[in-house]
Amino acid sequence: MTAKTPILLVIFFLSSICSVSYGQIKPDTLRIYPEEAEQLFLRNNLSLIAERLNIDQANALILQAKVWPNPNLSIDEINLNRNSTSESIPPLFGSFARNQQFTVQLEQLILTARKRKKNISLEVSNKQLAENTFIDFLQSLKVEFRTLLANLLFNQETFSDLERQAQLVNKLVKAQEAQLQEGNISQASYLRLKALEIELLSELNETSEERNKLQSNLKTLMAISGSTFIVLNDNKLNEKTINKWSDMPYTALLEMADHHNSQLKIANSLKEVSSSTLAVEKAKRIPDLTVNLNYDRNGSTMFNFFGAGISFDLPLFDRNKGNIKYATIEMKKQEQLTEEKRNAIRNQLDEAYKNIRQRIQLYRSFDANYLVQLEKMQSSIANNLLGRNLSLLEFLDLFDSFKSNKQLYYKTKRDIQLQACELTYIIGKDL
């Protein structure tokens, strides 16, 4: 076995992987713009549908809090037998209830201290919390989905660029192989170029694996078939999109965050829930009343006795002090947590605002035709290597530099999109 055999086997193995990954007939292909993909995600995502049901549950609890307690009817003291000491009892009508003793009582619980209204208010606060929690869940999923879209676009661009470079280097390898057989170049130079081809094929394979992972996560969020292959049509970054973020005053973004940030809304809702809970616990200090109407047949000096009554607990030992104290502390705790959340959001906004402006500044340093120029230069240096106007070391140095700069351009585009996702989540709305 020659020294070249192991390298050729590695090249054949990596080429086979890439041919399986990219050369095979794709399953159902879905070509779609990011905005269209997001609409599909919002319509089909099962987690969103399930989370939205929490609001319906909160509405059901409000409905339940509005109802009055049911009255209670009791029939008691029915005699099962009659002995020699029993008095003769006339029937109520006809022969019904002859020599029969019984009592009937109707009771109704009356909530005092506006407990019903305060319980309704508590459930309304819980519904507001459920709505804000759903909004936060929606916005968090949007960030996750848009991050996946940005990474998939970056992956598509990176793969296409690596594929072009691999094809270019493959042509050079074939040409240099012919030169090697003629004895015009050293085997070391040839093998170094082969090594570059292997590196590119390996990067293609890694990029393909990353793409498969991104595809899987996107299809799960969009609730579409696993056989579908998603191809994103790139909506190019334009000056209007760039200026939207770079020219937006920080104070305007801060005001939006104070009013619309979902995490801050949740914190405020928790504070409202704790306040409503405290009101309910304070109301429990006052006992509820139970009023009753009763009928007693032959249970006293009268055959037919009609009466009324009222009952309530005497708050001698339990005045609900422990629960009131607990609710009071909970409300103070939520006030502190809300203020902490507000400070954290402002710091996150400051960081994200600075980051996106720095990325935009870097993006604007690229010329409009920068990528086209780099691709032309890569082709040019390849021709110069074949024409022996460049040494192999010079070619490799320039090739690696151009390759890195392309990657930097794609990464800068992606990072702007990722920072825009983060800023959108922090301010709580799309600009």
Side-chain angles (χ1 to χ4, degrees):
M1 182 178 289
T2 66
K4 292 194 292 180
T5 304
I7 296 175
L8 293 174
L9 288 173
V10 172
I11 294 173
F12 174 77
F13 173 71
L14 290 171
S15 300
S16 299
I17 292 175
C18 291
S19 66
V20 170
S21 299
Y22 306 103
Q24 65 184 6
I25 298 175
K26 296 289 189 299
D28 296 337
T29 300
L30 176 63
R31 294 185 176 274
I32 194 169
Y33 284 97
E35 295 84 359
E36 297 170 337
E38 185 167 317
Q39 291 301 315
L40 191 61
F41 150 70
L42 292 175
R43 186 168 62 249
N44 294 345
N45 185 265
L46 300 177
S47 295
L48 280 178
I49 296 172
E51 188 70 21
R52 193 179 288 114
L53 294 176
N54 289 334
I55 300 175
D56 295 333
Q57 289 178 316
N59 282 323
L61 292 178
I62 292 175
L63 181 64
Q64 183 61 36
K66 290 180 178 180
V67 300
W68 293 94
N70 287 326
N72 175 265
L73 176 67
S74 63
I75 303 174
D76 202 1
E77 297 183 13
I78 302 174
N79 63 303
L80 299 178
N81 67 318
R82 183 170 181 269
N83 55 38
S84 58
T85 63
S86 302
E87 298 179 1
S88 178
I89 305 172
L92 284 175
F93 53 86
S95 61
F96 177 74
R98 182 187 299 275
N99 298 320
Q100 189 73 59
Q101 175 182 324
F102 60 87
T103 62
V104 178
Q105 180 168 269
L106 182 66
E107 290 184 336
Q108 175 65 53
L109 176 66
I110 298 177
L111 301 176
T112 60
R114 303 170 67 195
K115 289 189 183 74
R116 177 174 170 271
K117 184 175 181 180
K118 290 174 182 177
N119 278 316
I120 294 172
S121 178
L122 174 59
E123 295 305 334
V124 169
S125 297
N126 281 324
K127 179 195 173 183
Q128 188 65 48
L129 174 61
E131 289 176 342
N132 289 330
T133 302
F134 171 74
I135 292 172
D136 181 65
F137 183 75
L138 170 62
Q139 291 180 349
S140 298
L141 269 185
K142 275 186 176 181
V143 170
E144 180 183 351
F145 185 76
R146 291 173 180 178
T147 298
L148 288 172
L149 290 179
N151 283 324
L152 183 58
L153 279 172
F154 173 72
N155 181 277
Q156 287 179 182
E157 292 174 326
T158 301
F159 177 77
S160 297
D161 186 57
L162 286 172
E163 201 171 36
R164 285 193 297 269
Q165 293 178 57
Q167 291 170 355
L168 177 65
V169 173
N170 180 259
K171 292 178 181 179
L172 286 176
V173 168
K174 289 180 179 178
Q176 294 295 80
E177 186 176 10
Q179 292 294 318
L180 175 64
Q181 292 173 353
E182 294 176 5
N184 295 328
I185 63 171
S186 67
Q187 188 177 31
S189 297
Y190 169 76
L191 292 179
R192 181 64 189 89
L193 205 56
K194 274 283 189 182
L196 175 61
E197 183 181 26
I198 293 173
E199 290 173 10
L200 290 172
L201 291 174
S202 177
E203 288 184 47
L204 275 170
N205 186 52
E206 292 174 2
T207 305
S208 176
E209 291 176 354
E210 178 63 23
R211 182 196 62 182
N212 293 338
K213 182 179 179 181
L214 291 169
Q215 290 268 343
S216 175
N217 292 336
L218 276 171
K219 286 184 284 189
T220 298
L221 289 177
M222 296 167 70
I224 60 178
S225 170
S227 63
T228 304
F229 184 79
I230 301 173
V231 177
L232 291 177
N233 300 318
D234 185 10
N235 52 347
K236 305 291 185 181
L237 278 176
N238 52 50
E239 277 302 309
K240 184 178 179 181
T241 304
I242 296 294
N243 292 337
K244 178 177 68 175
W245 291 108
S246 62
D247 296 342
M248 177 66 68
Y250 176 77
T251 53
L253 294 175
L254 183 60
E255 185 177 355
M256 291 180 194
D258 285 339
H259 286 88
H260 302 290
N261 181 271
S262 57
Q263 288 285 318
L264 192 56
K265 285 185 175 182
I266 288 176
N268 285 322
S269 292
L270 287 170
K271 189 168 66 172
E272 287 297 321
V273 169
S274 65
S275 177
S276 298
T277 302
L278 177 59
V280 170
E281 295 299 338
K282 285 183 176 180
K284 288 180 180 179
R285 292 179 302 183
I286 301 174
D288 295 327
L289 300 178
T290 301
V291 296
N292 64 76
L293 297 174
N294 57 79
Y295 168 73
D296 190 339
R297 176 168 170 77
N298 201 37
S300 64
T301 57
M302 291 182 282
F303 278 144
N304 299 302
F305 172 80
F306 293 91
I310 186 170
S311 65
F312 54 88
D313 293 334
L314 295 176
L316 298 179
F317 307 111
D318 182 6
R319 292 184 56 81
N320 207 35
K321 288 183 178 179
N323 289 331
I324 291 172
K325 185 175 182 180
Y326 180 90
T328 302
I329 295 172
E330 180 66 21
M331 188 173 71
K332 291 179 180 179
K333 183 176 73 174
Q334 292 302 330
E335 288 174 354
Q336 297 298 321
L337 291 175
T338 300
E339 190 60 32
E340 181 187 43
K341 178 62 67 176
R342 181 176 286 105
N343 291 334
I345 288 167
R346 289 178 176 179
N347 290 331
Q348 291 169 7
L349 177 62
D350 181 70
E351 178 187 358
Y353 183 72
K354 290 176 180 176
N355 287 342
I356 197 170
R357 289 175 67 85
Q358 290 170 357
R359 291 296 176 183
I360 289 173
Q361 184 178 1
L362 176 60
Y363 178 77
R364 285 175 170 168
S365 66
F366 294 102
D367 295 333
N369 298 320
Y370 186 69
L371 281 183
V372 176
Q373 293 170 358
L374 286 179
E375 288 177 8
K376 288 181 179 178
M377 287 302 299
Q378 280 188 325
S379 299
S380 176
I381 61 173
N383 292 330
N384 281 316
L385 177 65
L386 292 176
R388 299 187 179 183
N389 297 321
L390 276 180
S391 68
L392 179 61
L393 289 178
E394 289 174 324
F395 168 80
L396 292 173
D397 180 64
L398 290 171
F399 187 88
D400 184 64
S401 176
F402 295 155
K403 176 172 173 284
S404 298
N405 272 265
K406 284 184 178 181
Q407 291 291 314
L408 178 61
Y409 176 80
Y410 296 136
K411 184 176 181 296
T412 302
K413 279 179 57 181
R414 181 196 62 181
D415 289 346
I416 290 175
Q417 293 171 323
L418 295 181
Q419 291 296 330
C421 287
E422 185 178 356
L423 267 175
T424 300
Y425 176 71
I426 293 172
I427 65 174
K429 58 183 296 187
D430 289 320
L431 288 183

